[in-house]
Amino acid sequence: MPFRLLVSLGLLCVLLPLHHGAPGPDGTAPDPAHYRERVKAMFYHAYDSYLENAFPYDELRPLTCDGHDTWGSFSLTLIDALDTLLILGNVSEFQRVVEVLQDNVDFDIDVNASVFETNIRVVGGLLSAHLLSKKAGVEVEAGWPCSGPLLRMAEEAARKLLPAFQTPTGMPYGTVNLLHGVNPGETSVTCTAGIGTFIVEFATLSSLTGDPVFEEVARVALMRLWESRSDIGLVGNHIDVLTGKWVAQDAGIGAGVDSYFEYLVKGAILLQDKKLMAMFLEYNKAIRNYTRFDDWYLWVQMYKGTVSMPVFQSLEAYWPGLQSLIGDIDNAMRTFLNYYTVWKQFGGLPEFYNIPQGYTVEKREGYPLRPELIESAMYLYRATGDPTLLELGRDAVESIEKISKVECGFATIKDLRDHKLDNRMESFFLAETVKYLYLLFDPTNFIHNNGSTFDAVITPFGECILGAGGYIFNTEAHPIDPAALHCCRRLKEEQWEVQDLMREFYSLKRNRSRFQKKTVSSGPWEPPAGPETFSSPENHDQAREKKPAKRKIPLLSCPSQPFTSKLALLGQVFLDSS
């Protein structure tokens, strides 16, 4: 039977939406103000639950009301949620979290960390918070945004990742030990996204600090992937970073590949780099030619273009947003509506969906509250104003609250067929899912600034304009102000002497603080008792009880972990036809 007919038959199985939600005042469309408040309540239910039950661990376990370390023992949910706090307008809690992170996060720890996840969540989160600090009322130091404590933390975390790039190909290992570098027995197989998802954070870091090494290693990794593409223009899923040989030859737009394509587009815009955009457009032609069927995108063999997996992955739902960013609105909407039918069928997107059969794939029926379809809705709504996109937002709020809300936060949906839950709330729920939902329903948020307002700041290199809009989200939805990259670009010898002295002073102060801390106690950090202990934004004066010592657990490297793929830019950037 022809594939297109199979697709059509599969879509006949689509059911009515599980959740219709509350209509707007006129009874025809969702009310943005109503759902904006609903989303804010969702955030604080999850955030407060994390602070009360899981902090200082990385993530909340909502079914058992406790916490666990997942990606490196950084209090990761706190870092991931920080810029969301400001987007929701909570300036006081943003300021408090900044202080706590400065005092207590330490990267000199014997932990095996994912290079990819540490970059997008920790480095990206700290860079974003650094650039938003002045808007949040934080008292910034002289020379900001070219200096600051959060910038120094981001630089320290990124330096811990640099040993992973020391390979014959320049493509990084998937995992690095933060204290000792790459373990001798570390696998050399890394997924494509784990190699090509650094240019946004690392180029920003190089521009702000004046150290070119970060942008250089990110560019080398991108170029090695480009040079490794097949004769028909496709890249596979996993590659050996020592030999440059493809290990998994499935080509598609989803898990293990996704954010590589995304970062070519974002890197091109962030750096005004025509070569990066030309690379993406070449990939886009091959993707359309070999993987696209009736506005679905399948997995194919990278050398032959033959279908290997006729499935849709939930991570692929970022693609309509990416299409909108390059101006391909019609195709973006058609693809989005395909994916939206799957959401309506299950009340969420299963990890894998068999397109010809119109149903889930065995052992891939879960939905960990991923943001990708919501993200695409936000970008497309900014570009089109189509109310159908608000309906997806409404359905997402109603579905997530009904299916996954528990006493201690929101739980991953283990199986969308019967709505069984799993004991995890990933940090991206607060960094991305809630953030994109809120921005979908909040058209006047400062993130959507069209350039009518801005801030003029004095840097060591002259006056600089910030906050004028066009924020670029990294793949964990941490917004980067592209104007900031132009505030600090000068040769090292031209920088202020006072800036070098300040950096040396803060380095000595931090080392002295660590020495004192390690001399007093060799155990893991615990939150302080008393009035300075972290509290929820609803009651900043209420102290929290001490939490148990944090466990160190081994982390899975890139080949074993699916990636969340996301977009990173506002559609309005492309409204100028030039």
Side-chain angles (χ1 to χ4, degrees), residues 466-502:
L466 294 174
Y471 289 91
I472 297 174
F473 286 97
N474 87 332
T475 200
E476 190 77 2
H478 295 306
I480 302 294
D481 189 341
L485 275 66
H486 304 282
C487 294
C488 312
R489 282 178 171 163
R490 290 290 175 89
L491 295 176
K492 190 75 175 175
E493 56 267 23
E494 293 183 69
Q495 295 184 1
W496 278 0
E497 181 180 355
V498 66
Q499 184 179 347
D500 294 333
L501 292 173
M502 275 167 51

Short mmCIF file of all heavy atoms in Angstrom, two decimals, residues 466-502:
data_model
loop_
_atom_site.label_atom_id
_atom_site.label_comp_id
_atom_site.label_asym_id
_atom_site.label_seq_id
_atom_site.Cartn_x
_atom_site.Cartn_y
_atom_site.Cartn_z
N LEU A 466 21.19 47.80 25.12
CA LEU A 466 20.72 46.47 25.50
C LEU A 466 19.21 46.47 25.67
O LEU A 466 18.59 47.52 25.84
CB LEU A 466 21.40 46.02 26.81
CG LEU A 466 22.91 45.79 26.76
CD1 LEU A 466 23.43 45.48 28.17
CD2 LEU A 466 23.24 44.65 25.82
N GLY A 467 18.62 45.28 25.65
CA GLY A 467 17.20 45.12 25.95
C GLY A 467 16.27 45.67 24.89
O GLY A 467 15.11 45.97 25.19
N ALA A 468 16.74 45.77 23.66
CA ALA A 468 15.90 46.32 22.60
C ALA A 468 15.08 45.27 21.87
O ALA A 468 14.36 45.58 20.94
CB ALA A 468 16.77 47.08 21.60
N GLY A 469 15.18 44.01 22.29
CA GLY A 469 14.39 42.95 21.66
C GLY A 469 15.24 42.03 20.81
O GLY A 469 16.46 42.15 20.74
N GLY A 470 14.55 41.10 20.14
CA GLY A 470 15.26 40.13 19.32
C GLY A 470 16.04 39.12 20.12
O GLY A 470 17.07 38.62 19.66
N TYR A 471 15.58 38.82 21.33
CA TYR A 471 16.28 37.84 22.16
C TYR A 471 16.39 36.49 21.45
O TYR A 471 15.45 36.05 20.78
CB TYR A 471 15.54 37.64 23.49
CG TYR A 471 15.63 38.82 24.43
CD1 TYR A 471 14.68 39.83 24.41
CD2 TYR A 471 16.68 38.92 25.33
CE1 TYR A 471 14.76 40.92 25.26
CE2 TYR A 471 16.78 40.00 26.21
CZ TYR A 471 15.81 40.99 26.16
OH TYR A 471 15.90 42.07 27.01
N ILE A 472 17.52 35.87 21.60
CA ILE A 472 17.75 34.55 21.04
C ILE A 472 17.73 33.54 22.18
O ILE A 472 18.57 33.61 23.08
CB ILE A 472 19.09 34.49 20.29
CG1 ILE A 472 19.09 35.46 19.12
CG2 ILE A 472 19.40 33.08 19.83
CD1 ILE A 472 20.43 35.57 18.42
N PHE A 473 16.78 32.62 22.14
CA PHE A 473 16.74 31.57 23.15
C PHE A 473 17.72 30.46 22.80
O PHE A 473 17.75 30.00 21.66
CB PHE A 473 15.33 30.97 23.24
CG PHE A 473 14.33 31.87 23.90
CD1 PHE A 473 13.48 32.65 23.13
CD2 PHE A 473 14.21 31.92 25.27
CE1 PHE A 473 12.54 33.47 23.72
CE2 PHE A 473 13.28 32.73 25.87
CZ PHE A 473 12.44 33.51 25.10
N ASN A 474 18.47 30.02 23.80
CA ASN A 474 19.26 28.82 23.55
C ASN A 474 18.32 27.63 23.57
O ASN A 474 17.10 27.76 23.72
CB ASN A 474 20.41 28.70 24.56
CG ASN A 474 20.01 27.99 25.85
OD1 ASN A 474 18.86 28.03 26.28
ND2 ASN A 474 20.97 27.34 26.47
N THR A 475 18.83 26.44 23.40
CA THR A 475 17.97 25.28 23.24
C THR A 475 17.32 24.83 24.54
O THR A 475 16.51 23.90 24.53
CB THR A 475 18.74 24.12 22.58
OG1 THR A 475 17.82 23.20 22.00
CG2 THR A 475 19.64 23.43 23.56
N GLU A 476 17.64 25.50 25.65
CA GLU A 476 16.96 25.28 26.92
C GLU A 476 16.09 26.49 27.25
O GLU A 476 15.65 26.67 28.38
CB GLU A 476 17.99 25.04 28.03
CG GLU A 476 17.44 24.56 29.35
CD GLU A 476 17.05 23.10 29.40
OE1 GLU A 476 17.23 22.41 28.39
OE2 GLU A 476 16.57 22.65 30.45
N ALA A 477 15.80 27.33 26.24
CA ALA A 477 14.93 28.51 26.37
C ALA A 477 15.51 29.59 27.25
O ALA A 477 14.77 30.38 27.83
CB ALA A 477 13.53 28.11 26.86
N HIS A 478 16.83 29.67 27.35
CA HIS A 478 17.46 30.77 28.09
C HIS A 478 17.74 31.91 27.12
O HIS A 478 18.51 31.74 26.17
CB HIS A 478 18.75 30.30 28.76
CG HIS A 478 18.53 29.27 29.82
ND1 HIS A 478 17.66 29.46 30.87
CD2 HIS A 478 19.06 28.02 29.98
CE1 HIS A 478 17.67 28.39 31.65
NE2 HIS A 478 18.49 27.50 31.12
N PRO A 479 17.11 33.08 27.31
CA PRO A 479 17.24 34.18 26.33
C PRO A 479 18.59 34.87 26.40
O PRO A 479 19.10 35.20 27.47
CB PRO A 479 16.10 35.12 26.72
CG PRO A 479 15.84 34.84 28.17
CD PRO A 479 16.16 33.40 28.39
N ILE A 480 19.17 35.10 25.24
CA ILE A 480 20.43 35.83 25.10
C ILE A 480 20.16 37.10 24.31
O ILE A 480 19.52 37.06 23.26
CB ILE A 480 21.48 34.98 24.36
CG1 ILE A 480 21.75 33.66 25.08
CG2 ILE A 480 22.77 35.77 24.15
CD1 ILE A 480 22.39 33.79 26.43
N ASP A 481 20.61 38.23 24.83
CA ASP A 481 20.47 39.51 24.13
C ASP A 481 21.62 39.64 23.13
O ASP A 481 22.77 39.80 23.53
CB ASP A 481 20.50 40.66 25.13
CG ASP A 481 20.16 42.00 24.52
OD1 ASP A 481 20.23 42.11 23.26
OD2 ASP A 481 19.83 42.93 25.26
N PRO A 482 21.35 39.57 21.83
CA PRO A 482 22.46 39.59 20.85
C PRO A 482 23.25 40.88 20.88
O PRO A 482 24.43 40.89 20.53
CB PRO A 482 21.75 39.39 19.51
CG PRO A 482 20.33 39.76 19.74
CD PRO A 482 20.04 39.43 21.17
N ALA A 483 22.62 41.98 21.31
CA ALA A 483 23.35 43.25 21.36
C ALA A 483 24.51 43.19 22.33
O ALA A 483 25.52 43.89 22.16
CB ALA A 483 22.39 44.37 21.75
N ALA A 484 24.40 42.34 23.36
CA ALA A 484 25.46 42.26 24.37
C ALA A 484 26.78 41.80 23.78
O ALA A 484 27.84 42.15 24.29
CB ALA A 484 25.02 41.32 25.49
N LEU A 485 26.71 41.01 22.71
CA LEU A 485 27.94 40.51 22.11
C LEU A 485 28.79 41.63 21.53
O LEU A 485 30.01 41.50 21.42
CB LEU A 485 27.64 39.48 21.01
CG LEU A 485 27.41 38.04 21.47
CD1 LEU A 485 26.16 37.91 22.33
CD2 LEU A 485 27.34 37.10 20.29
N HIS A 486 28.13 42.74 21.18
CA HIS A 486 28.85 43.86 20.59
C HIS A 486 29.33 44.85 21.65
O HIS A 486 30.03 45.81 21.33
CB HIS A 486 27.96 44.56 19.57
CG HIS A 486 27.44 43.65 18.50
ND1 HIS A 486 28.21 43.23 17.45
CD2 HIS A 486 26.24 43.03 18.36
CE1 HIS A 486 27.51 42.40 16.68
NE2 HIS A 486 26.31 42.27 17.21
N CYS A 487 28.98 44.61 22.91
CA CYS A 487 29.36 45.52 23.99
C CYS A 487 30.80 45.31 24.43
O CYS A 487 31.41 46.20 25.02
CB CYS A 487 28.45 45.33 25.21
SG CYS A 487 26.74 45.79 24.95
N CYS A 488 31.33 44.12 24.20
CA CYS A 488 32.60 43.74 24.85
C CYS A 488 33.67 43.30 23.86
O CYS A 488 34.70 42.77 24.27
CB CYS A 488 32.35 42.61 25.84
SG CYS A 488 30.94 42.89 26.96
N ARG A 489 33.44 43.47 22.58
CA ARG A 489 34.38 42.95 21.59
C ARG A 489 35.54 43.93 21.37
O ARG A 489 35.41 44.91 20.65
CB ARG A 489 33.66 42.69 20.26
CG ARG A 489 32.86 41.40 20.28
CD ARG A 489 32.14 41.21 18.98
NE ARG A 489 31.54 39.88 18.90
CZ ARG A 489 30.60 39.54 18.05
NH1 ARG A 489 30.14 40.44 17.20
NH2 ARG A 489 30.10 38.32 18.03
N ARG A 490 36.63 43.68 22.00
CA ARG A 490 37.87 44.41 21.80
C ARG A 490 39.03 43.45 22.03
O ARG A 490 38.88 42.41 22.65
CB ARG A 490 38.00 45.58 22.78
CG ARG A 490 37.04 46.72 22.51
CD ARG A 490 37.42 47.45 21.22
NE ARG A 490 36.44 48.47 20.89
CZ ARG A 490 36.49 49.72 21.32
NH1 ARG A 490 37.46 50.09 22.13
NH2 ARG A 490 35.58 50.59 20.96
N LEU A 491 40.22 43.84 21.53
CA LEU A 491 41.39 43.02 21.79
C LEU A 491 41.71 43.00 23.27
O LEU A 491 41.45 43.97 23.99
CB LEU A 491 42.59 43.57 21.01
CG LEU A 491 42.48 43.51 19.48
CD1 LEU A 491 43.68 44.18 18.84
CD2 LEU A 491 42.34 42.07 19.01
N LYS A 492 42.28 41.92 23.74
CA LYS A 492 42.54 41.74 25.16
C LYS A 492 43.36 42.90 25.73
O LYS A 492 43.10 43.40 26.81
CB LYS A 492 43.31 40.42 25.36
CG LYS A 492 43.46 40.00 26.80
CD LYS A 492 42.17 39.44 27.34
CE LYS A 492 42.36 38.90 28.75
NZ LYS A 492 41.10 38.47 29.34
N GLU A 493 44.39 43.36 24.98
CA GLU A 493 45.26 44.40 25.51
C GLU A 493 44.55 45.75 25.63
O GLU A 493 45.05 46.66 26.28
CB GLU A 493 46.51 44.54 24.64
CG GLU A 493 46.23 44.81 23.17
CD GLU A 493 46.17 43.52 22.37
OE1 GLU A 493 45.91 42.45 22.97
OE2 GLU A 493 46.37 43.57 21.15
N GLU A 494 43.37 45.90 24.99
CA GLU A 494 42.65 47.16 25.04
C GLU A 494 41.70 47.24 26.22
O GLU A 494 41.12 48.29 26.47
CB GLU A 494 41.85 47.36 23.75
CG GLU A 494 42.70 47.57 22.51
CD GLU A 494 41.85 47.83 21.30
OE1 GLU A 494 41.22 48.90 21.24
OE2 GLU A 494 41.78 46.95 20.44
N GLN A 495 41.51 46.14 26.93
CA GLN A 495 40.54 46.15 28.02
C GLN A 495 41.06 46.98 29.17
O GLN A 495 42.27 47.14 29.37
CB GLN A 495 40.25 44.72 28.48
CG GLN A 495 39.56 43.88 27.42
CD GLN A 495 39.20 42.51 27.95
OE1 GLN A 495 39.44 42.20 29.10
NE2 GLN A 495 38.62 41.70 27.09
N TRP A 496 40.11 47.48 29.96
CA TRP A 496 40.47 48.30 31.11
C TRP A 496 41.37 47.53 32.05
O TRP A 496 41.14 46.36 32.36
CB TRP A 496 39.20 48.67 31.88
CG TRP A 496 38.49 49.85 31.30
CD1 TRP A 496 38.83 50.58 30.22
CD2 TRP A 496 37.28 50.41 31.82
NE1 TRP A 496 37.91 51.56 29.99
CE2 TRP A 496 36.95 51.48 30.97
CE3 TRP A 496 36.45 50.12 32.89
CZ2 TRP A 496 35.83 52.25 31.17
CZ3 TRP A 496 35.34 50.89 33.11
CH2 TRP A 496 35.03 51.96 32.25
N GLU A 497 42.37 48.20 32.59
CA GLU A 497 43.22 47.57 33.60
C GLU A 497 42.41 47.24 34.85
O GLU A 497 42.61 46.20 35.48
CB GLU A 497 44.39 48.51 33.94
CG GLU A 497 45.35 47.92 34.97
CD GLU A 497 46.49 48.87 35.28
OE1 GLU A 497 46.57 49.92 34.63
OE2 GLU A 497 47.29 48.56 36.18
N VAL A 498 41.46 48.10 35.18
CA VAL A 498 40.64 47.85 36.37
C VAL A 498 39.82 46.57 36.22
O VAL A 498 39.59 45.85 37.19
CB VAL A 498 39.71 49.05 36.66
CG1 VAL A 498 38.66 49.21 35.57
CG2 VAL A 498 39.02 48.87 38.02
N GLN A 499 39.41 46.26 34.99
CA GLN A 499 38.65 45.03 34.78
C GLN A 499 39.52 43.81 35.06
O GLN A 499 39.07 42.84 35.69
CB GLN A 499 38.12 44.97 33.35
CG GLN A 499 37.24 43.78 33.06
CD GLN A 499 36.72 43.79 31.64
OE1 GLN A 499 36.81 44.78 30.95
NE2 GLN A 499 36.17 42.67 31.21
N ASP A 500 40.79 43.84 34.61
CA ASP A 500 41.68 42.73 34.88
C ASP A 500 41.94 42.60 36.38
O ASP A 500 42.00 41.48 36.92
CB ASP A 500 43.01 42.93 34.14
CG ASP A 500 42.85 42.86 32.63
OD1 ASP A 500 41.90 42.19 32.19
OD2 ASP A 500 43.65 43.48 31.92
N LEU A 501 42.10 43.73 37.04
CA LEU A 501 42.32 43.68 38.49
C LEU A 501 41.11 43.12 39.21
O LEU A 501 41.24 42.35 40.17
CB LEU A 501 42.65 45.09 39.00
CG LEU A 501 44.00 45.66 38.55
CD1 LEU A 501 44.13 47.12 38.98
CD2 LEU A 501 45.13 44.83 39.14
N MET A 502 39.90 43.53 38.76
CA MET A 502 38.69 43.02 39.39
C MET A 502 38.57 41.52 39.21
O MET A 502 38.20 40.79 40.14
CB MET A 502 37.46 43.71 38.78
CG MET A 502 37.14 45.04 39.45
SD MET A 502 35.95 46.01 38.51
CE MET A 502 34.70 44.85 38.28
#
